[in-house]
Amino acid sequence: AKELFQTNCGACHTLARAGTDGIVGPNLDDLLGQGTPETNKQLVQTAIDNGVEGRMPAGILQGANAEQVADFVARVAGQ
């Protein structure tokens, strides 16, 4: 999941546990750091599936890959 995040998301998003420092999208440590893993996973999965306001395209990852990345981000954001 970490490698999938690095490859598909890291150019845009900062996530310390993934070692990424993207500047286009929001810093996921800041955005999700105070949420619960369950809530964060739902938010991330929704963003992956549907995109975000024309800034993040829908479907960057699909199926099991999308679920793995959503779970990874939800567990490590803010750490």
Side-chain angles (χ1 to χ4, degrees), residues 9-68:
C9 313
C12 293
H13 294 286
T14 294
L15 185 64
R17 292 285 298 272
T20 61
D21 59 356
I23 57 171
V24 176
N27 178 323
L28 298 179
D29 290 312
D30 292 344
L31 183 67
L32 303 171
Q34 300 301 313
T36 67
E38 296 80 18
T39 301
N40 288 347
K41 184 174 180 181
Q42 185 176 18
L43 290 171
V44 174
Q45 187 74 54
T46 298
I48 292 170
D49 292 344
N50 301 320
V52 178
E53 299 174 1
R55 296 176 297 172
M56 178 177 154
I60 289 175
L61 294 163
Q62 298 178 353
N65 288 343
E67 189 169 336
Q68 288 175 20

Side-chain angles (χ1 to χ4, degrees), residues 1-12 17-20 69 72:
K2 179 179 176 179
E3 290 177 9
L4 284 170
F5 179 88
Q6 290 169 330
T7 301
N8 295 283
C9 313
C12 293
R17 292 285 298 272
T20 61
V69 168
F72 170 72

